[in-house]
Amino acid sequence: AVEPAVWRNPAAVLHGVNDLRFEDVPMPDRLQDEYVRIEMKAVGICGSDVHYWKKGRIADFVVTGPMVIGHESAGTVVELGPNVTNLKVGDRVAVEPGVPCWHNKASREGRYNLCPDIRFFATPPHHGSLAQYIDHPAAFCFPLAPNLTHEEGAMAEPLSVGVHACRRAGVSPGKNVAIIGAGPIGLITLLAAKAYGADTIAVTDVKEDNLSLADTLGANVALLQQPHATTAQVAEALRTALPPFGPDIIIDCAGFESTMQTAVQACVPGGKVVLVGMGQNEMKLPMASASCKEVDLLGSFRYANTYALCLKLMESRKVDVMPLITHRFGFSSDEVTVAFDTASRASETGAIKVMFNMN
Amino acid sequence: AVEPAVWRNPAAVLHGVNDLRFEDVPMPDRLQDEYVRIEMKAVGICGSDVHYWKKGRIADFVVTGPMVIGHESAGTVVELGPNVTNLKVGDRVAVEPGVPCWHNKASREGRYNLCPDIRFFATPPHHGSLAQYIDHPAAFCFPLAPNLTHEEGAMAEPLSVGVHACRRAGVSPGKNVAIIGAGPIGLITLLAAKAYGADTIAVTDVKEDNLSLADTLGANVALLQQPHATTAQVAEALRTALPPFGPDIIIDCAGFESTMQTAVQACVPGGKVVLVGMGQNEMKLPMASASCKEVDLLGSFRYANTYALCLKLMESRKVDVMPLITHRFGFSSDEVTVAFDTASRASETGAIKVMFNMN
Amino acid sequence: AVEPAVWRNPAAVLHGVNDLRFEDVPMPDRLQDEYVRIEMKAVGICGSDVHYWKKGRIADFVVTGPMVIGHESAGTVVELGPNVTNLKVGDRVAVEPGVPCWHNKASREGRYNLCPDIRFFATPPHHGSLAQYIDHPAAFCFPLAPNLTHEEGAMAEPLSVGVHACRRAGVSPGKNVAIIGAGPIGLITLLAAKAYGADTIAVTDVKEDNLSLADTLGANVALLQQPHATTAQVAEALRTALPPFGPDIIIDCAGFESTMQTAVQACVPGGKVVLVGMGQNEMKLPMASASCKEVDLLGSFRYANTYALCLKLMESRKVDVMPLITHRFGFSSDEVTVAFDTASRASETGAIKVMFNMN
Amino acid sequence: AVEPAVWRNPAAVLHGVNDLRFEDVPMPDRLQDEYVRIEMKAVGICGSDVHYWKKGRIADFVVTGPMVIGHESAGTVVELGPNVTNLKVGDRVAVEPGVPCWHNKASREGRYNLCPDIRFFATPPHHGSLAQYIDHPAAFCFPLAPNLTHEEGAMAEPLSVGVHACRRAGVSPGKNVAIIGAGPIGLITLLAAKAYGADTIAVTDVKEDNLSLADTLGANVALLQQPHATTAQVAEALRTALPPFGPDIIIDCAGFESTMQTAVQACVPGGKVVLVGMGQNEMKLPMASASCKEVDLLGSFRYANTYALCLKLMESRKVDVMPLITHRFGFSSDEVTVAFDTASRASETGAIKVMFNMN
Ligand SMILES: NC(=O)c1ccc[n+]([C@@H]2O[C@H](COP(=O)([O-])OP(=O)(O)OC[C@H]3O[C@@H](n4cnc5c(N)ncnc54)[C@H](O)[C@@H]3O)[C@@H](O)[C@H]2O)c1
Ligand SMILES: NC(=O)c1ccc[n+]([C@@H]2O[C@H](COP(=O)([O-])OP(=O)(O)OC[C@H]3O[C@@H](n4cnc5c(N)ncnc54)[C@H](O)[C@@H]3O)[C@@H](O)[C@H]2O)c1
Ligand SMILES: NC(=O)c1ccc[n+]([C@@H]2O[C@H](COP(=O)([O-])OP(=O)(O)OC[C@H]3O[C@@H](n4cnc5c(N)ncnc54)[C@H](O)[C@@H]3O)[C@@H](O)[C@H]2O)c1
Ligand SMILES: NC(=O)c1ccc[n+]([C@@H]2O[C@H](COP(=O)([O-])OP(=O)(O)OC[C@H]3O[C@@H](n4cnc5c(N)ncnc54)[C@H](O)[C@@H]3O)[C@@H](O)[C@H]2O)c1
Ligand SMILES: [Zn+2]
Ligand SMILES: [Zn+2]
Ligand SMILES: [Zn+2]
Ligand SMILES: [Zn+2]
C-alpha cells in the first residue's frame, strides 16, 4: 500500500521572548478548496517580526503559543485547491499576508485592512510565512511578471505600506512631501511617493547612514536632524527645504510625539499628516493649531488593494526596491538566528532589509 | 452750499480687556466699487466676541487698537457701489464675515477659509459688524428669502460652522454621529447633522440644561456625563448610544484633551473625528490607536461656500435655528453692556444665542 | 426508520416568454455552511421581472431554462448553516439579492455591484426569491428592526437603487435635484434624495398620475411634460423650477435619448447627470456641450453597501415607502398570474409597486 | 514739456475669416492696480487659434471685431501695477490666459474654469497674447524657474489641459490609461499621464507620424488604427494592449462619435472616460452599456489651478515638452503668416507645436 506523501515543513517558530526555533511544523492533510500550497522562496524580516521576537508582543497582540514568524514573502505554487482557477502549479507569486473575512462593513466598502477578523501572518494567533511551505487563499497570491524576482515579490509587502500611506495622503504632482524617519518603511515610502509623482520630497532622520540611502534613492532633500534641534526648528527646516510653502503632505514613518509635533507645525494649511510609524501611542499635540490650519491627521494601517499595483510599479521599473535589501541569508537554523540578530542590531549592522532566500 | 451727508454710525467698539464702548465710528466717504452699504438689523453675540472682550485676545490675535465687535449679522442694503449688479437697495441680506483675497492657492482651490490674508469681522485688526452701518463686498452678501428674518440671516454664521464640520466629516445617511459639547456650536451642528441625513445623533455634555435643549432640537440621544466619568466610560456610553457599532463620525464642539480622547476611543475603525472646539491647544492623544483604526482627525476652521446653502436650509425649514435664540436686546449703550454680560454668564443666564435687533 | 423532512417549495418559475408557472422547486438537501434558510414573507414585483416574463431577456441576459422570478424580498429565518453566527432562527430579514465573489478588483475596492461573477436573483441563470423558501448567505440578510414590516424589508431593494444613484451624484444640502421619470424607481429616488438633504427636488414625467404621487411624496415641483415639448423646453422648465441656477444633479430614471438630452441641457456647469433608467441603449447626446460645462454623465448599476442604510432610513421614518405599494396579493397560482398582469399594465391599473404577502 | 511714453505694440490681430493682420494695437494709458505689463517672449499656436482664423468662430464664440490671437504665452515683466507685490520687473513669467471673476459658485468652489464670466485670451471678445506687450493680472503670472525657458512657460498652457484631464480621471499608479488622438493635446496628455504615474499607457491615432512621436515620448503602446477598423475592433485592440483588464481610464483627445464609442466599449467596469477633444458635438453612444458598467463620462474644459504644478513638472524634468515644438518663427508680419499656415497644414508640415520667439 502506498503511504500518503508527508510534507516536511521546516519553519522559524517563535515560542516566546527571544525564543525563535527552526523546527518542523505540520501541514494540513488537505488543501482547502480555494487555497494553493506555496513553496516559499524569499521572505524578508520586518521590524514587527523583530519586535515579537524581542518583546513577545505588539500592543494588545501577545504571543501565547508557538507561532511561525514572517509576513513579507513570495514563493512558487506547488499544488492547487480544487476550486482554484486563477493560478497554476509553477506560478511564481507574491503572497499578500492579510486575509479579511468579507462579512463586515469595512471590508465590503473596500477597506479590508480594517476587517476586525482579518487573519494576518505572524500576528498572534496566526502563523506567518517564514516556512518551507504555506497554504494560502489563491485570491491573495499575485503572479510575478517574468522580470520580477521572488525577492521583489516579498518586497511588495513593505512597498504596500508606503503606497497605502501615499494614497491616503493623496500624493500626486503638485504636492511637496516630507517623510520623517528613513528606516525601511520611510525609504520605501519615498520610492512610493516618487512613483505617485510628488513634486519635491524631503526625508529627515537623526541617522546619517539612512539619510545617505534616502539620497541615493532619489530624495530631493535629505535633512539630518541635529541632536538638540527643537521640533520648531525641524519644522522650519522642512518648510525651507520644500519651497515655496513647505510640505503639503507629511508622512511620519517614525511615529513619535516629537515627530508628529514637527509634522503639525511644518504642514501647510489644508495639508495632510499621515501617521505610519508606531513609535509611541500617547502624544501631546497642538491640536487647536492643527484644526485652525485644517491640517488633517490621518491614520494608515497596513494596506488594501495594493499588491497588483506594487508589482506593476516594480515590473515597470518605476520603483526599484533592490537597493533596500542589504543582507541575504539562506534558510537554516543557524542562518535564521544570524539573520534576526542582524536585523535587530540595524544601527550597527546597517541593515535595512534582511532577506531569506530559501533553497 | 449743500453739505455732504454725514453718516452717523454708532457701534460697539472694543478698546481693550473689559472695555467695550458704544460710540460713533466714521464711515468711509466713498463706497468702494464692488461694495454695498448695509444698515444692520440683527447681530448675534458669539463666544469669540465675549472672549475678546474678557481677554483681549484669541491665540495670536491680539486687540491692540479700537475694534468694532460682532460677526454674526444681517441687514438691509442702503447704497450700492458703482459696480454692484447682484443686489439692489432695500435687499435684506445675510453678511458673510470673512472676505478672502483670491491670490493664494487655498482660496483658488475652493478653501478660502484658509486664505492667509482673509479679512474676517472682529478679528484684529479688522472691524466687526455690530454697528449701525457697515460697508461690505456685495459678493459676500446673500439675499434673504421672504420667509426668513434678519435674525435667521445672522444665524447663517454659526450654522455655517456646523455645516462646514458636517461636510468635512461626510455626514450623510448611513452614518452615526456623536457631538461632544452642546453649547451654541454643538447645538447648531446637531441641526446641520440632521439636515445632512445622519442616521442617529447622540449629543453629550456635562451640563443638563444644554442637553435638554439638544433633546428638544431632535438629538436621538442626549447623554449627560457624570462628573467623574473617565474618557473610556464616556466613549463606551457613546458607542452604546449609537448601535450597532458606535459613532462613525464624532464632532467635538468642546475641544478639550479629554473630549478628544473620548472621541478617538469611541470612534469606529475608519471613522472620522472633526475638531471644531478650541477649548485647549495641547492635547495628549492615543495616536497609534487612532492610526491603527484609521480614525482620521480632521480640523474644521470656520467655513467656505456655506452661506447660500445655510439660507436655503432655513428657507426650506429643514433647519430651524430660532429655538437657539434665548435672549434679545436693542442696540444702545446700556443694552450692549447687558447683552454681553448675559452672554458671558451663560451658565447662570441660560443664554445660548444673544441677539441684537437694531432698527 | 425516520424519513428525512422534505421541503415543499412552491415558487413562481419562468419557463419562457409569457410562461410563468406556480410549481414546486426542489430545495438543496443540505444548507451550506454560511447560509440560512428563509421562509419568504414579502416579495415585490419589479419592472425587470415583468420584462423577463414578457420578453424572456434583458440585454444579453436570456432566460434559457426554468428560473424562479423575483428579487425584492424579505422573510423569516427558519434554519442556520453551521457557521452562521450573525442571525438566529426567527429573525426577520431583508434579503440582498446580489452576492458577489470577492476575487475581483471591483469587489475588493467596495464596488461589488460591478463584480463580473455576481449571482443576482432572477438574472439568468440564477434563481430569484419569489418562492416559499430560499437559501441565502447569512452575510446578505439584514435583520429588520421591530418597527419594520416584511414589506418594508422587500422595499429595501428598490430603495437601494435610489440611494446608490444619490450617492453616486453626491446629493446633499446645497444641491438642487431633478428626477426624470416618476415610475417606481423615480419615486423612490425622490424619497432617497430627500433623505440625503437635497435643497429642492423637481420630478418630471409625461404621466399625470405618477406626478401626483410625486407631489404627495414631497417633490417640491412636479412638472408634467406637454406632449410635444422639445427637450430644450423641458430643460428650460426644469431650470426655472429649480432656482437660482437650475439642477445641480439630474437623475434620469426613464433613460431615453430624449430624457438624457434634456438632462445635459438642463444641468448647471459642473453638475452631474446620473443615468439609472434603461429605456434605450444608443443615445445621440450633445457631448461637446456636456464636456465644456464639465457636466459628468455617471452610470448607476444596482447598488453596493446600501441595505443596512436603507433599513435605517425606514426604521427612523426618514423614508416612508408604504405609499408606493399600490397592490397586494397572496401567493397562489392564480394570484401570481393576476399580480404580474396588474404590474404589467401599470398605465391602466395605476400600479406602482405590486407586493406579494406569502401566507 | 515731456511727452508721455507711447508704447508701440505690434500684434497679430484677427479681423475675420482668413484675415489675420500684423498691426499695432493701443496699450492702456495706465496699468491697473493689480496688473503687470509683460513683454511677450514666446507664444505658441493652438488648434483653436487656427480654427478662429479659418472659420471665424468656435461653437457660439464668434469673432465680430478685431481680436488679438494667441493664448499660450510667456514673457518678461516690464512694469508693475501699484498693488503688485508677488512679482518684480525683470521676472520671467508664464501667463495663465483665463481670468475668472470670483463672484460665482463654481469659482469659489475651486472650479474657476467654469466661471461664466471668465475672460480668456483670444476667445471673443477678449484679446489674446500674440503681441509685443500685454497687461495681465499679476496673480495669473507664474515665475519661471531659472532652468525653464520662455518656450516652456508657453507650453504650460497645453500641458495644463493634459494635467486637468488626468486629474479629473484620477490617473495614478494602478491605472491603465488609453489616449485616443495623438495631436498636440493627446501627446501632452501622454506626458501628463506619465507624470501622474499611470501603470501603462496606450496611445492610438489614425496617423502614423503622430504615433511615432507618441512612441518617442514614452507611450507603452502606440496603436495605429487600420483605415476600416470598427470601433469594436479598436476597443478590443486597446484592451489587449493594456493587460490584464484593459483601460481603467480613457482620455479622448480627438472627440468624435467613433472615438467615444470606442472609449465606452474599451473601458473596464468602474472606469472613466474623459472627453477633451471637441471634434464633434452630437454623438450616438451606447449609454445603457456605459451605465451598467458604471463607466463615467467626464467632461474636461481647460483647467484650473494647474500653472504652478505644470511649471514644477517641467522644472523637475518629470515632463519634457520640448520635443513637441516642431517649428519656430520670429515675430513679424511675414512670419506670422507662414507660422499660421504651417500650423494649419499640420498633416503635410508635420507640425505639432508652432512657436513664436519674439525679438
Ligand atoms: N502603519 C503600518 O501599517 C506600519 C507598517 C509597518 C511598519 N510600521 C511602523 O513604521 C515605523 C517605521 O518602520 P521601520 O521598519 O522603518 O522602523 P525603523 O525603526 O527601522 O525606522 C525608523 C526610523 O525613524 C528614525 N527616527 C527616530 N526618531 C526620529 C526623529 N525624531 N526624527 C526623525 N527620524 C527619527 C530612526 O532613526 C529610524 O531610521 C515603525 O514604528 C513601524 O512599527 C507601521
Ligand atoms: N472651528 C471653528 O471654526 C469654530 C467656530 C466657532 C466656535 N468654535 C469653538 O467651538 C467651541 C464651542 O463653541 P460654543 O460657542 O458652543 O462654546 P460653549 O463654551 O458655549 O460650549 C461648549 C460646550 O461644551 C461643553 N463641555 C465642556 N467640557 C465638556 C466635556 N468634557 N464633555 C462634554 N461637553 C463639554 C460645555 O458644557 C458647553 O456646553 C468653542 O471652543 C469655540 O471657540 C470654533
Ligand atoms: N440602474 C439600475 O440599477 C436600475 C435598477 C432598476 C430599474 N432600472 C431602470 O430604471 C427605469 C425606471 O424603472 P421603473 O420601474 O420606474 O420604470 P417605469 O417604466 O415604471 O417608469 C418610467 C417612468 O418614466 C416615464 N417617462 C417615460 N418617458 C419619459 C420622458 N420622456 N420624460 C419623462 N418621463 C418619462 C414614464 O412615464 C414612467 O413613469 C427602467 O428603465 C428600469 O429598467 C435601473
Ligand atoms: N477640452 C479642452 O479644454 C480642450 C483644450 C484644447 C484642445 N481641445 C480639443 O482637443 C482636441 C485635440 O486637440 P489637438 O490640438 O491635439 O488637435 P489635432 O486635430 O491636432 O489632433 C487630433 C488627433 O486625433 C486624431 N484622430 C482623428 N480621428 C481619430 C480617430 N478616429 N481615432 C484616433 N485618432 C483620431 C487625429 O489624427 C489627430 O492626430 C481638439 O478637438 C481640440 O479642440 C480641448
Ligand atoms: Zn512588514
Ligand atoms: Zn461666530
Ligand atoms: Zn428591482
Ligand atoms: Zn491652447
Side-chain angles (χ1 to χ4, degrees), chain D residues 46-48 71-72 157-158 161 185 353:
Chain D
C46 175
S48 67
H71 63 264
E72 308 180 345
E157 205 280 338
V161 173
I185 291 297
K353 184 54 64 187

Side-chain angles (χ1 to χ4, degrees), chain B residues 46-48 71-72 157-158 161 185 353:
Chain B
C46 175
S48 67
H71 63 263
E72 309 180 344
E157 205 280 337
V161 173
I185 291 296
K353 184 56 63 187

Side-chain angles (χ1 to χ4, degrees), chain C residues 46 71-72 157:
Chain C
C46 175
H71 63 264
E72 309 180 344
E157 205 280 338

Side-chain angles (χ1 to χ4, degrees), chain A residues 6 17 48 62 79 83 122 152 160 185 223-224 241 257 266 287 325:
Chain A
V6 175
V17 172
S48 67
V62 183
E79 194 183 330
N83 291 353
E152 289 172 303
S160 287
I185 291 296
L223 181 75
L224 182 67
E257 180 176 87
M287 293 304 292
I325 306 178

Side-chain angles (χ1 to χ4, degrees), chain B residues 47-230:
Chain B
S48 67
D49 296 317
V50 172
H51 204 278
Y52 277 120
W53 176 46
K54 287 283 168 201
K55 311 274 174 178
R57 66 183 301 159
I58 291 180
D60 298 340
F61 292 102
V62 184
V63 179
T64 52
M67 177 184 82
V68 177
I69 203 84
H71 63 263
E72 309 180 344
S73 41
T76 297
V77 174
V78 294
E79 193 183 332
L80 305 179
N83 291 353
V84 174
T85 55
N86 65 319
L87 295 172
K88 55 184 195 311
V89 169
D91 278 355
R92 300 154 62 250
V93 292
V95 182
E96 182 170 348
V99 179
C101 82
W102 296 108
H103 293 183
N104 53 83
K105 208 178 158 197
S107 295
R108 290 194 187 176
E109 291 178 352
R111 300 178 72 174
Y112 63 76
N113 55 318
L114 303 180
C115 170
D117 301 318
I118 197 165
R119 286 173 292 124
F120 197 95
F121 283 163
T123 303
H126 307 292
H127 282 309
S129 57
L130 184 47
Q132 198 70 50
Y133 296 102
I134 64 160
D135 287 358
H136 203 65
F140 286 81
C141 297
F142 295 79
L144 298 173
N147 70 343
L148 291 180
T149 63
H150 279 109
E151 288 192 338
E152 289 172 303
M155 293 300 281
E157 205 280 337
L159 181 55
S160 288
V161 173
V163 159
H164 186 64
C166 288
R167 275 203 311 212
R168 292 224 82 214
V171 175
S172 68
K175 304 288 181 189
N176 280 338
V177 176
I179 295 170
I180 304 182
I185 291 296
L187 291 169
I188 214 160
T189 299
L190 161 64
L191 297 179
K194 279 163 56 86
Y196 273 81
D199 274 5
T200 309
I201 306 175
V203 180
T204 184
D205 201 308
V206 292
K207 289 200 225 154
E208 199 147 9
D209 287 0
N210 295 30
L211 281 176
S212 76
L213 188 46
D215 189 66
T216 310
L217 294 172
N220 301 81
V221 180
L223 181 74
L224 183 66
Q225 293 180 30
Q226 298 312 316
H228 303 297
T230 63

Side-chain angles (χ1 to χ4, degrees), chain B residues 253-293:
Chain B
C253 297
F256 296 99
E257 180 176 85
S258 62
T259 55
M260 283 295 281
Q261 286 177 353
T262 296
V264 171
Q265 291 173 78
C267 193
V268 305
K272 294 186 198 307
V273 173
V274 178
L275 177 53
V276 176
M278 301 279 168
Q280 204 170 339
N281 189 19
E282 303 285 331
M283 301 181 188
K284 190 163 208 157
L285 298 177
M287 293 303 293
S289 305
S291 182
C292 285
K293 293 201 290 183

